[in-house]
Structures are given as C-alpha cells and as structure tokens.
C-alpha cells in the first residue's frame, strides 16, 4: 500500500499546468459510445478514474489507443450493452453507461455504480428522468434493466439539479426523435463542456450552464477532435494549498468563472489573486483570516468537492468559522483525522464549527475518499513536522501527479511504500 509522507512547513512558489477536468472528461468519454466514428481527445490525465472509464469503453467494444496523452477512440464495432459490477463498482460515473447505452443501443443492463463513500448517493433522478423519455426500467437483483425502444423527446423535471442525472438524460436524449427539455438541470461547467462536445459531434443542444437544457434529437453523431476544460476542483485545491502555506503560484489552464466563488472567498481570507490569459496567479504572505460561513451547494455556489480542502484552511485561519455540507450526509470523515493533527472542530449534524488554531502538527492519518484525502494533504503541507497519509489510492483516483506537481512548487512530499 502506498502512502504520502509530507514534511510540512514549506511555502509554495512556481507554476503548474492544471490537468483536464476529471468530472468533465468522464461524461465526454461516455459520450463517445454514441458515435461509430473516431473521437480524438487531447490532454487525457493519467489517473485511475479515467483508466476505469476507458476499461468500460473497451468492454463495450470501442477501440481505445493512447498516443502520449491523446486518446483515440473508435466505436465502429461497439456491440455490448451490458456492464457488470466488476467494472461499475470502481467509479460513480459508470452510471453514465445507462444513458449512453440507451442512446446507442436502445437497451442496457448495468450494475450499480460505486465511487467515493460520502453518502447514500441514490440514482432515482436518473431513472425517473429516463422513464420520462419513455424508457422502461426495472431494478432487479442488483442490476438495472433498461429498454429504450420506445424512447422519444419529452419534458423532464428534476427535483434537484443532479449532475449525473443531467448527464444521463443528455446522453440518452441526443439520438432520439423529438425534443427533450430538462428543467432544473445542473449548471456545472462540466455540463457545458459535455454540451459543446456533443454539439461538435453534430448534436443540437442548447441551454447548458442555465437551468434549462433543450435537446433536439438527431439521427447520428460524427467524429470529433476535443480538448476538455481544466479541472476547477484541482485548481481550487492548489489555490487553497497556497492560501495555507503562503507563497506565490501560477496555475495554467484555468477559466476564471469556474473558480470565481472560491477566488472571492480566498480574497476575503487575505490572498491576492489575479487572472490573465487562462492563468490564475495568487500570492499570500499572511495567516489567512477565517471565512465566517461556507455552505456547499450546486454550481455556481461553493463546491462540495472543495469542502474538505477549505475546512483544512479554516483549521489554520485566525478566528471561528462554520461549514455546512448540504450535499452529502457522511462527507465529514476527514474531521477526526484533522483533529489528530491538532484541529479544533465540532460537528453537529451537517454543520462543522471550526476554531482556527495557530498550528497543525504532523500525524499519521487516513484518506477516506478522494477529496477528504486532498484536504489532509493540504493540512500536512502546512503542519509542523511529518504527516503520513494512508489509503492514498483514493487520492490517486483523481489527481494527476499530485506529489510531483506539489514538489515542483517546493513542497516536501513523496510517495512511500508500506
Ligand atoms: C457529481 C460529481 C461529484 C460531486 C457532485 C456534486 C462527477 C463524476 N461527480 O456527482 O464529484 O461531488 O456531482 O457536485 O461528476 N441525488 C439524488 N438522486 C439522484 C442523484 C443525486 O438524490 O438520482 C442527490 C445526491 O445524493 C446528492 C445530490 O443529489 O445529494 C447531488 O448529486 P449529483 O449532482 O447527482 O452528484 P453526482 O453526479 O453523483
């Protein structure tokens, strides 16, 4: 088992390129199932969630070939519309095969998805939305059986702007007759990138980024050459690292609006942040001031995927703060680990009360999921002494060369084997 060993206390200086968005690329890779023609995707990062999704594509019958970090996908012979637990359980986004298989084959049999253990994570909105388009869906013995032979465009009203449900309905709706309108859809930048990707393949979709998406069904999708957007959660993680450790960093391949909420919070905490030519430059020299209240909410509000990282920042900020986690019931598993490092946090239901301390101290801690692990890395980077982080396989699922990029900024972090 691999671990991170961090000797905390170094300030961060330098420049790094932010990798393509994991949560943007996963729906895009799923969408390649919808065409028989070639898809060329550039800047594909090298981490486990992406490899697991590529394995699902190969299982489906698509040919996938890497040329450096460009992935060439050819689905002309794709013929499989079933995927079992072995391939669905490693990642949440395996649920996108439901919409993609329905789109391409009008039929699907899939097992339930896995992913980070942060809450119940139901898929009722996905299933209800697909049923609204006429799909017949039965859940039985751990499998989801879908028949889309009578699907056609219709109105879908989501009770909550679920990212995953929005993706699945887009994937299923793009190749059916008629017009599909998704009301109260997710507005995340990754949904906009999926719309743009599908439109570049010949789809007729508009409205992504707003709360209503309209899809006019087309008969087929054609080849495409695509570079995904940069990962706003990864960029946010490095920004929070700099806010905690001090220093000056430049992050390339960023879009200002995608991080605007966080930039606003970090400016209030005392950081200087500039944006120019797709790069964020931030500088800070002082102990951060606490941000009094942060609530996680769907985009454009504060992302739940940055909650553990911002909590690590609040732990060392001057003053008290409150974090409310509105999306996931059990997304506070990093709290006992931060407390081991000297943090002062009390959790009551979905609210964490944090009293900033002068210093965190190195300790042996465990990453319970991807972003909780990232939060612990940040705590370790600014703590006094050595921190060992166990179970880093969770972190390696979603950050490309995390230790290498942090090292290039001056951090003392390395991977060690048990
Ligand atoms: C996506 C992201 C994940 C992020 C989350 C919220 C990917 C691969 N993952 O996950 O990193 O944390 O958005 O920004 O993009 N819900 C239901 N029923 C459903 C679907 C969702 O009740 O059918 C609830 C969930 O339990 C959760 C909320 O809706 O409380 C948001 O979930 P959703 O937006 O669907 O998240 P994911 O797509 O799973």
């Amino acid at each position: 088992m691999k671990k991170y060993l961090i000797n905390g206390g170094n300030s961060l200086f330098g420049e790094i390129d932010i990798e393509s968005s994991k949560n943007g690329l996963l729906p895009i890779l799923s969408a390649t199932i919808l065409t028989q023609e070639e898809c060329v995707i550039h800047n594909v990062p090298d981490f486990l969630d992406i490899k697991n999704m590529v394995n699902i594509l190969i299982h489906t019958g698509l040919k996938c070939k890497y040329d450096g970090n460009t992935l060439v996908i050819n689905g002309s012979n794709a013929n499989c519309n079933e995927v079992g637990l072995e391939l669905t359980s490693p990642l949440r986004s395996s649920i996108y095969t439901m919409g993609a298989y329905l789109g391409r084959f009008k039929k699907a049999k899939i097992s339930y998805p896995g992913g980070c253990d942060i809450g119940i994570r139901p898929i009722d909105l996905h299933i209800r939305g697909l049923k609204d388009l006429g799909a017949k869906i039965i859940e039985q013995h751990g499998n989801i059986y879908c028949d889309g032979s009578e699907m056609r465009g219709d109105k879908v009203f989501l009770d909550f702007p679920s990212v995953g449900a929005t993706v699945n309905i887009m994937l299923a709706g793009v190749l059916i007759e008629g017009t599909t309108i998704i009301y109260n859809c997710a507005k995340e930048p990754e949904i906009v990138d999926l719309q743009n990707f599908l439109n570049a393949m010949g789809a007729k979709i508009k409205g992504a980024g707003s709360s209503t998406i309209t899809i006019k069904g087309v008969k087929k999708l054609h080849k495409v050459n695509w570079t995904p957007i940069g990962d706003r959660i990864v960029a946010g993680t490095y920004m929070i690292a700099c806010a905690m450790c001090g220093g000056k960093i430049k992050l390339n391949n960023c879009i200002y609006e995608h991080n605007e909420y966080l930039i606003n919070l970090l400016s209030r905490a005392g950081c200087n942040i500039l944006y120019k030519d797709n790069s964020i430059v931030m500088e800070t020299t002082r102990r951060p001031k606490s941000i009094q209240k942060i609530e996680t909410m769907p985009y454009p509000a504060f992302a739940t995927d940055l909650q553990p990282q911002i909590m690590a920042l609040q732990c060392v900020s001057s003053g008290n703060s409150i974090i409310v986690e509105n999306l996931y019931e059990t997304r506070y598993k990093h709290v006992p680990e931060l407390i081991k490092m000297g943090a002062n946090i009390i959790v009551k239901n979905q609210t964490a009360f944090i009293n900033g301390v002068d210093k965190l101290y190195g300790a042996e801690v465990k990453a319970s999921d991807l972003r909780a692990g990232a939060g612990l890395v940040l705590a370790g980077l600014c703590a006094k002494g050595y921190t060992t982080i166990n179970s880093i396989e969770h972190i390696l699922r979603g950050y490309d060369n995390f230790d290498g990029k942090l090292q290039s900024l001056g951090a003392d972090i390395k991977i060690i084997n048990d």
Side-chain angles (χ1 to χ4, degrees), residues 22-23 26 92-93 96 118 121-126 160-165 188 304-305 327-328 331:
K22 171 178 89 66
N23 290 351
L26 290 167
R92 173 76 181 169
S93 310
Y96 298 156
I118 49 180
R121 307 188 87 177
I123 52 165
D124 55 316
L125 302 174
H126 301 234
F160 185 88
S162 154
V163 173
E188 269 70 358
T304 177
D305 285 355
L327 271 85
Y328 295 114
R331 200 168 207 176

Side-chain angles (χ1 to χ4, degrees), residues 89-147:
S89 62
L91 76 166
R92 173 76 181 169
S93 310
S94 59
I95 192 65
Y96 298 156
T97 51
M98 186 159 63
Y101 284 180
L102 276 172
R104 170 106 183 228
F105 307 112
K106 307 293 173 245
K107 211 169 162 39
K109 176 188 165 194
I110 60 167
S111 297
Y112 286 93
C116 283
D117 180 15
I118 49 180
I120 302 170
R121 307 188 87 177
I123 52 165
D124 55 316
L125 302 174
H126 301 234
I127 289 178
R128 212 177 315 142
L130 295 171
K131 282 185 175 172
D132 285 343
L133 300 184
K136 294 191 180 72
I137 302 180
I138 299 168
E139 295 178 80
Q140 213 167 46
H141 310 305
N143 291 316
I144 309 166
Y145 297 84
C146 312
D147 175 356

Side-chain angles (χ1 to χ4, degrees), residues 368-406:
S368 55
D369 64 74
L370 169 59
R371 308 301 174 187
L376 295 177
V377 169
L378 304 195
L381 291 176
C382 88
K384 187 171 167 48
Y386 282 94
T387 296
T388 309
I389 303 184
N390 294 290
S391 301
I392 64 166
E393 64 276 6
H394 295 296
I395 307 173
L396 301 176
R397 275 185 37 215
Y399 286 85
D400 190 28
N401 188 21
F402 200 22
D403 53 319
K405 287 184 182 175
L406 285 167

Side-chain angles (χ1 to χ4, degrees), residues 257-318:
E257 295 75 43
H258 296 177
N259 284 101
E260 201 168 4
Y261 200 100
L262 177 67
I263 289 172
N264 188 278
L265 292 186
L266 294 180
S267 303
R268 273 162 53 195
C271 304
N272 296 319
I273 305 172
L274 293 170
Y275 178 78
K276 204 177 165 206
D277 302 332
N278 293 332
S279 297
I280 291 171
V281 179
M282 75 172 277
E283 184 172 21
T284 180
T285 48
R286 291 167 291 169
R287 180 179 179 194
K289 287 181 270 187
S290 70
I291 303 154
Q292 275 149 10
K293 189 175 180 196
I294 301 164
E295 285 205 46
T296 64
M297 270 213 284
Y299 187 85
F302 189 74
T304 177
D305 285 355
L306 285 171
Q307 180 260 105
Q309 301 90 316
I310 205 86
M311 182 181 282
L313 172 69
Q314 295 311 284
C315 287
V316 293
S317 298
S318 57

